[in-house]
Amino acid sequence: MVDKPLNSAQTDSDRANNSTRSAPVGVFDSGMGGLSVLREIHLLLPHENLIYIADSKHAPYGDRSTQYVQQRSLEIANFLLKKNIKSLVVACNTATALAVDILREQLTIPVIGLEPAIKPGVKMSKTGVIGVLATQRTIESKRLHCLTVKHASHTKVLAQACPGLVEKVEANHLDHYDTRQLIKKYTLPLLEQNADTIILGCTHYPFLQQTISTIVGRDIQIIETGKPVAQQLQRVLHKYKLNNASQKNGNIFFYNSSNINQHSNTMRQLWHNDITIKLLSV
Ligand code: DGL
């Protein structure tokens, strides 16, 4: 007779399932902007283990070619797969617009992307005019065009590319004179055209939300996508029975592809915690 395992109630498949469930979720962005998404994920799903990759060395993606962004996204995804992730969150509008399809084609785990919140923006606007702030590549993307056609047929969508803003967040210049000048340049024309809602179509911009709000005024609604992405991740993990059943707080591991000290300092300040950041060598 074969000896029964000590915990006979737990089968091999239960154990395999538990170890998959406790595996980390991978989250990446061209830089530190995706921390605005990571904080919402951590708030909603505190028991999940998370790995965050800031590709600061190669930011901004918004000025790069499609091929470049796809290649970087695949390299980062492969690094995360070696860490055994159970799901991947592309916490970057630009990488979602340019690379989410190829990631979904090549990966066998669920991949969650994000996109500018056109649909909620249309619902919230009273003037029927909304502004979208995003990187050049997101603004030009087919994805944004399709979203606009689908959800905003009766709303005027003013799509504003914002070169330079990602760099301001990467440098932690959230309220500097130059940053405010750039924000004025990008937002005031939207207000002149009667926009009452501004969509932050780049995950770096929530870190500028306070500065944007003081410039455009408190009456203008500002929408970001961190929370809906966290909710989508929660739905997906439940659907595939991948949610971590542990009641302990999850661990978060941080990587940055840039070894410049300033990036680590900025990352700590944006995360509001004294975190350890490893160098990403891919
Ligand atoms: N956080 C990225 C996004 O959401 C910024 C892209 C970039 O690096 O240009 O689009």
Side-chain angles (χ1 to χ4, degrees):
M1 198 175 130
V2 181
D3 280 342
K4 281 197 172 175
L6 281 179
N7 179 359
S8 59
Q10 196 180 35
T11 65
D12 282 352
S13 100
D14 285 340
R15 269 190 292 273
N17 198 12
N18 286 342
S19 80
T20 310
R21 288 182 141 197
S22 62
V25 174
V27 181
F28 84 93
D29 178 40
S30 63
M32 294 174 256
L35 292 172
S36 65
V37 178
L38 190 77
R39 75 181 167 201
E40 297 295 341
I41 293 175
H42 185 53
L43 265 177
L44 186 68
L45 305 167
H47 308 304
E48 296 297 340
N49 296 305
L50 305 168
I51 304 178
Y52 181 79
I53 307 265
D55 196 13
S56 294
K57 189 175 172 188
H58 304 98
Y61 282 1
D63 305 336
R64 307 271 193 184
S65 69
T66 300
Q67 200 194 4
Y68 186 95
V69 176
Q70 289 181 345
Q71 193 187 324
R72 275 311 291 161
S73 301
L74 286 169
E75 280 165 2
I76 291 168
N78 282 328
F79 171 84
L80 287 166
L81 286 174
K82 288 189 193 131
K83 302 272 172 208
N84 217 12
I85 56 165
K86 61 184 174 183
S87 175
L88 177 68
V89 177
V90 185
C92 176
N93 290 266
T94 312
T96 300
L98 304 181
V100 81
D101 291 341
I102 196 162
L103 286 168
R104 288 194 174 127
E105 260 167 49
Q106 300 208 7
L107 272 53
T108 53
I109 54 169
V111 177
I112 289 136
L114 56 84
E115 47 202 14
I118 301 282
K119 193 177 170 188
V122 165
K123 277 199 189 139
M124 284 169 86
S125 174
K126 296 207 167 57
T127 59
V129 184
I130 63 175
V132 182
L133 306 180
T135 67
Q136 187 68 42
R137 299 308 313 275
T138 301
I139 294 291
E140 293 164 358
S141 69
K142 202 170 148 201
R143 248 186 134 78
L144 183 66
H145 175 72
C146 293
L147 271 179
T148 306
V149 169
K150 189 167 168 197
H151 300 298
S153 48
H154 301 295
T155 302
K156 192 169 171 189
V157 178
L158 306 170
Q160 176 65 56
C162 304
L165 280 189
V166 166
E167 290 91 324
K168 296 296 178 202
V169 176
E170 290 287 306
N172 202 18
H173 292 173
L174 306 185
D175 194 26
H176 282 41
Y177 175 79
D178 288 355
T179 310
R180 287 202 299 275
Q181 291 305 103
L182 273 180
I183 292 172
K184 279 182 193 164
K185 179 172 145 196
Y186 297 140
T187 57
L188 297 185
L190 309 179
L191 305 189
E192 278 159 21
Q193 293 173 77
N194 213 18
D196 63 349
T197 305
I198 291 181
I199 294 161
L200 304 182
C202 167
T203 54
H204 280 73
Y205 302 167
F207 291 109
L208 299 170
Q209 186 158 347
Q210 258 185 324
T211 312
I212 296 174
S213 192
T214 50
I215 289 169
V216 299
R218 306 268 163 211
D219 293 346
I220 302 295
Q221 312 173 86
I222 300 178
I223 308 179
E224 57 142 320
T225 31
K227 203 168 170 183
V229 172
Q231 289 166 338
Q232 174 65 4
L233 174 65
Q234 184 180 42
R235 280 191 289 271
V236 168
L237 294 180
H238 269 98
K239 178 173 169 193
Y240 294 104
K241 297 192 171 41
L242 286 171
N243 52 307
N244 194 355
S246 163
Q247 289 307 304
K248 281 198 307 201
N249 258 3
N251 294 311
I252 312 180
F253 301 93
F254 295 86
Y255 289 83
N256 197 317
S257 57
S258 164
N259 60 0
I260 299 171
N261 255 345
Q262 193 202 328
H263 280 137
S264 301
N265 289 338
T266 302
M267 205 150 156
R268 288 190 187 99
Q269 281 169 28
L270 295 181
W271 189 250
H272 300 300
N273 219 330
D274 189 16
I275 47 178
T276 303
I277 302 152
K278 289 190 184 160
L279 179 67
L280 177 79
S281 47
V282 292

